[in-house]
């Protein structure tokens, strides 16, 4: 039923193949899909790729992801919501891009930071600590922190890049993904990781700032790599991801 896919735009190809099976009736409404691990093996792709494809299909209304139970085909009755375009990057691709750019930004910020920059970062962390139960506010403050770190370098191109890549998280696709994996505990962990980045920048330690940012993005990858409640989460970061982060 399933066949291996090519390496180009993998998560969209996986979604296309599964959508076609559903539309042809080979995957009937109410039927339960194989677990992520099994789908990854059948299709010859990674589990994060499967996860990205499943979120596309849920946003489109083809499947229903039930945490702790499984993934079920739905009887699609309504038009899809705001489905991402064909060339839309998935969350793991965005995280890898962030690792390449934001680790270098943190390193340079540690060389250039002045006391007023640190005071602004402190204010952001204080406000985030008070907003952990408000997902939208926490997300906005998370974006603000990363833009503030970039702002230390005083390069508007970098500021626009960091801001725009964070803005891509504010779509129905990312909202659906976040609904499974973001909560008060994950936002608290992210805030504490921000604090480590802040401390390294305040200490004027470029290597520590780069490492702290990389660790933060590693942990973001791990949080998004949790399975949909079917089996234990992956707890390691692939070597290719670590290379993207600058190690």
């Amino acid at each position: 039923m399933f066949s291996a896919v090519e390496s180009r735009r993998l998560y969209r190809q996986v979604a296309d193949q599964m959508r076609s099976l559903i539309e042809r009736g080979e995957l009937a409404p109410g039927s339960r899909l194989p677990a992520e691990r099994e789908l990854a093996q059948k299709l010859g792709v990674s589990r994060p790729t499967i996860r990205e494809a499943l979120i596309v299909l849920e946003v489109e209304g083809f499947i229903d992801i039930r945490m702790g139970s499984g993934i079920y085909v739905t009887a699609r009755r309504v038009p899809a919501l705001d489905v991402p375009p064909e060339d839309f990057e998935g969350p793991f691709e965005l995280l890898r891009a962030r690792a390449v750019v934001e680790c270098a930004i943190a390193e340079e910020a540690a060389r250039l930071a002045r006391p007023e920059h640190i005071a602004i970062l402190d204010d952001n962390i204080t406000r985030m600590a008070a907003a952990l139960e408000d997902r939208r506010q926490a997300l906005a403050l998370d974006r603000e922190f990363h833009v503030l770190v970039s702002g230390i370098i005083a390069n508007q191109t970098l500021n626009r890049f960091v801001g725009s890549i964070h803005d891509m998280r504010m779509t129905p696709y990312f909202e659906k993904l976040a609904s499974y994996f973001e909560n008060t505990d994950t936002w608290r962990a992210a805030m504490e990781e921000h604090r480590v980045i802040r401390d390294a920048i305040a200490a004027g330690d470029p290597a520590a700032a780069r490492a702290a940012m990389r660790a933060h993005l590693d942990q973001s990858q791990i949080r998004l790599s949790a399975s949909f409640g079917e089996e234990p989460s992956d707890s390691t970061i692939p070597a290719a991801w670590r290379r993207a982060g600058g190690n």
Side-chain angles (χ1 to χ4, degrees), residues 182-215:
E182 289 180 1
N183 53 53
T184 301
D185 290 337
T186 62
W187 282 119
R188 180 176 292 105
M191 180 194 68
E192 293 301 335
E193 291 155 19
H194 287 180
R195 198 184 306 277
V196 176
I197 296 167
R198 174 266 181 215
D199 289 348
I201 292 173
D205 188 333
R210 183 185 187 96
M213 182 65 78
R214 214 284 301 278

Side-chain angles (χ1 to χ4, degrees), residues 146-187:
H146 289 274
V147 172
L148 288 172
V149 171
S150 175
I152 294 172
I153 301 175
N155 183 299
Q156 289 303 312
T157 301
L158 285 176
N159 284 357
R160 280 196 299 272
F161 174 82
V162 173
S164 64
I165 205 168
H166 279 267
D167 288 342
M168 294 179 73
R169 299 159 67 191
M170 299 175 187
T171 65
Y173 176 86
F174 279 89
E175 288 278 343
K176 179 60 70 174
L177 182 65
S179 72
Y180 293 112
F181 305 115
E182 289 180 1
N183 53 53
T184 301
D185 290 337
T186 62
W187 282 119

Side-chain angles (χ1 to χ4, degrees), residues 34-54:
E36 284 182 351
R37 187 181 299 277
E38 184 178 349
L39 284 172
Q41 292 171 346
K42 287 178 179 294
L43 292 163
V45 298
S46 69
R47 291 178 67 190
T49 296
I50 293 295
R51 192 165 298 114
E52 289 175 328
L54 292 173

